[in-house]
C-alpha cells in the first residue's frame, strides 16, 4: 500500500538539549501533524537557502519558547515514514545538533503542528511514544510510532520545482568524504565539463538516494567515482551552500541549495583510482600527497572541498 503513496524529500535540523539536572527537551505533535501524540526533539524543515544551524535555533524558539545556541553537530541520519492519510511517503535527512538554552520561557502552542514542550528524564522519555529518530538520538529503544514503507519508492536523483520568483529551485542532501590512505595521501575527484565547478578538484561523494543512509551512500559513491573501498571514521560537519543561479547540464539557471555532510574515510588498501561511473559528474580521480594538496590554488578546489580539508586539518 505504501508504494502507492507520493514520495517527497526534505532536510530537517533538530536540537538535542539537556538541562542542568539531565532532563531532555521534547515537543509533542498535535492533531495537525502527521503523527499526533508522538514526542520528538524540537526542530523542523530547513528552508530553501537556510543554514541548518539557523533552522534549529528558529524552530526550537517557535516550538518551545526558548532561545538556544548551537554547540556541535552530533549526528546525521535519514529515515522514511509513510503518511497514508496524506497519501505521501517522506524521506527526511535529519541533522542533530547539541544546543544549550540562552533564555526564554517554556511555552505551549495552539493550532500548530506541535502543541506541548516539556523536560523529561531519560527514564520518563522511555515511556513516551517517541518518534524513531528521537529514540535513536537519545540512545533509547527503537519506537514503533512511525509507519515505515516496505521499500523505497522510485524518486529522481535530481528534482527541481518552480520557485515563487519563477526560477527553478532545488534542495539536495549529499554526503562527501575526506579520504586518506595509510601514507596520509588524500583522494580527490575532478568535476566533469558541463557541471558546476567544472575542472575543479572535489571530494568523493554525492547526493544520497531515497531511503539511503548518508554513510552507506558515501561508501557507494566512493566505489563508483574512484574504485576504492573505504571505511567511515568520523563525521566532520555539514556545509550549507546556495547558488542562486547555478548552471549545470540541465541548460537553464537553477536556484540551488546544497546541504552536504562530510566525513573522514580511510582506504586501508589503496589502488590506482578508476572512475567506474563514466559519463557522470566525475571525470578523474587522483591521490594527492599532503604537500601537493597544500600547493593547489584555492580556485582549483570546490568550496565544500576547501571547507572539509580545513576541518580535517590536512593542510
Amino acid at each position: 500500500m505504501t508504494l502507492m503513496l507520493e514520495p517527497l524529500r526534505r532536510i530537517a535540523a533538530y536540537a538535542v538539549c539537556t538541562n542542568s539536572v539531565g532532563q531532555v527537551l521534547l515537543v509533542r505533535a498535535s492533531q495537525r501533524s502527521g503523527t499526533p501524540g508522538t514526542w520528538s526533539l524540537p526542530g523542523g524543515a530547513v528552508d530553501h537557502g537556510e543554514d541548518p544551524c539557523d533552522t534549529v535555533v528558529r524552530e526550537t524558539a517557535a516550538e518551545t519558547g526558548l532561545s538556544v545556541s548551537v554547540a556541535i553537530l552530533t549526528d546525521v541520519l535519514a529515515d522514511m515514514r509513510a503518511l497514508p492519510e496524506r497519501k505521501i511517503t517522506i524521506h527526511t535527512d535529519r541533522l542533530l545538533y547539541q544546543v544549550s538554552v540562552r533564555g526564554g520561557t517554556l511555552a505551549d502552542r495552539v493550532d500548530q503542528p506541535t502543541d506541548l514542550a516539556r523536560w523529561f528524564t531519560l527514564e520518563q522519555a522511555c515511556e513516551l511514544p517517541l518518534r524513531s529518530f528521537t529514540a535513536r538520538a537519545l540512545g533509547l529503544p527503537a519506537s514503533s510510532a512511525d509507519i515505515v514503507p516496505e521499500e523505497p519508492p522510485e524518486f529522481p536523483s535530481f528534482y527541481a520545482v518552480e520557485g515563487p520568483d519563477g526560477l527553478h529551485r532545488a534542495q539536495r542532501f549529499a554526503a562527501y568524504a575526506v579520504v586518506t590512505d595509510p601514507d596520509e595521501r588524500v583522494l580527490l575527484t575532478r568535476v566533469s565539463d558541463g557541471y558546476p565547478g567544472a575542472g575543479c578538484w572535489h571530494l568523493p561523494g554525492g547526493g544520497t538516494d531515497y531511503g539511503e543512509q548518508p554513510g552507506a551512500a558515501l561508501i557507494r559513491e566512493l566505489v563508483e567515482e574512484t574504485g576504492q573501498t573505504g571505511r567511515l571514521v568520523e563525521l566532520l560537519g555539514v556545509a550549507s551552500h546556495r547558488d542562486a543561479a547555478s548552471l549545470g547540464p540541465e541548460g537553464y539557471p537553477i536556484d540551488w541549495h546544497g546541504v552536504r555532510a562530510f566525513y573522514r574515510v580511510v582506504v586501508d588498501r589503496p589502488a590506482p583510482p578508476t572512475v567506474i561511473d563514466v559519463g557522470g559528474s566525475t571525470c578523474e580521480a587522483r591521490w594527492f600527497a599532503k604537500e601537493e594538496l597544500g600547493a593547489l590554488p584555492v580556485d582549483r578546489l570546490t568550496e565544500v572541498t576547501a571547507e572539509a580539508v580545513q576541518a580535517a586539518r590536512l593542510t
Side-chain angles (χ1 to χ4, degrees), residues 2-27:
T2 57
L3 293 177
M4 305 282 293
L5 305 178
E6 178 186 359
L8 300 174
R9 283 196 72 158
R10 70 170 190 164
I11 303 170
Y14 297 88
V16 180
C17 185
T18 56
N19 61 18
S20 59
V21 294
Q23 296 172 314
V24 63
L25 182 61
L26 298 176
V27 294

Side-chain angles (χ1 to χ4, degrees), residues 33-309:
S33 76
T35 52
T38 60
W39 291 81
S40 70
L41 299 172
V46 176
D47 288 342
H48 187 82
E50 185 179 35
D51 189 292
C53 286
D54 295 333
T55 303
V56 76
V57 172
R58 171 179 58 79
E59 286 283 345
T60 301
E63 293 183 344
T64 71
L66 301 178
S67 173
V68 300
S69 59
V70 175
I72 191 173
L73 177 75
T74 60
D75 200 3
V76 179
L77 53 93
D79 58 66
M80 292 188 298
R81 63 178 177 134
L83 300 174
E85 70 282 1
R86 297 187 182 181
K87 299 182 180 180
I88 59 174
T89 294
I90 303 178
H91 167 113
T92 306
D93 297 291
R94 305 183 191 274
L95 313 177
L96 307 181
Y97 292 89
Q98 181 181 324
V99 308
S100 58
V101 175
R102 296 186 299 182
T105 302
L106 209 62
D108 298 339
R109 302 207 294 174
V110 178
D111 293 330
Q112 297 295 325
T114 61
D115 57 5
L116 298 181
R118 297 289 186 271
W119 294 98
F120 295 98
T121 65
L122 289 182
E123 290 76 14
Q124 291 171 329
C126 273
E127 303 301 318
L128 299 174
L130 298 176
R131 295 286 309 282
S132 297
F133 79 92
T134 298
R136 173 175 169 176
L138 300 179
L140 299 177
S143 169
S144 59
D146 292 340
I147 301 174
V148 180
E150 295 90 346
E151 59 182 88
E154 292 187 5
F155 195 82
S157 59
F158 173 77
Y159 185 71
V161 297
E162 188 172 316
D165 55 4
L167 190 67
H168 281 79
R169 59 169 49 181
Q171 188 181 60
R172 190 184 192 197
F173 182 82
Y176 290 94
V178 177
V179 182
T180 57
D181 70 0
D183 292 328
E184 292 300 312
R185 294 184 301 171
V186 179
L187 182 63
L188 297 180
T189 60
R190 195 158 61 88
V191 181
S192 301
D193 290 341
Y195 288 85
C200 290
W201 290 100
H202 196 36
L203 298 178
T208 62
D209 289 341
Y210 199 103
E212 190 175 35
Q213 291 294 333
L218 185 55
I219 297 304
R220 171 183 58 78
E221 289 277 351
L222 181 62
V223 172
E224 293 175 358
E225 294 183 346
T226 72
Q228 311 296 305
T229 300
R231 56 182 173 88
L232 291 176
V233 175
E234 63 176 327
L235 173 65
L236 294 173
V238 166
S240 176
H241 175 68
R242 181 183 184 182
D243 185 339
S246 175
L247 279 175
E250 299 80 19
Y252 53 86
I254 295 174
D255 184 352
W256 182 271
H257 179 209
V259 177
R260 303 143 172 164
F262 43 102
Y263 298 79
R264 278 296 300 269
V265 171
V266 172
V267 173
D268 295 305
R269 296 182 179 180
T274 302
V275 179
I276 295 175
D277 186 17
V278 177
S281 60
T282 297
C283 63
E284 183 183 354
R286 176 183 162 190
W287 288 105
F288 287 84
K290 278 190 174 182
E291 56 272 17
E292 293 178 305
L293 181 60
L296 283 175
V298 175
D299 61 1
R300 293 289 307 282
L301 299 175
T302 62
E303 181 185 41
V304 68
T305 302
E307 289 184 14
V309 167

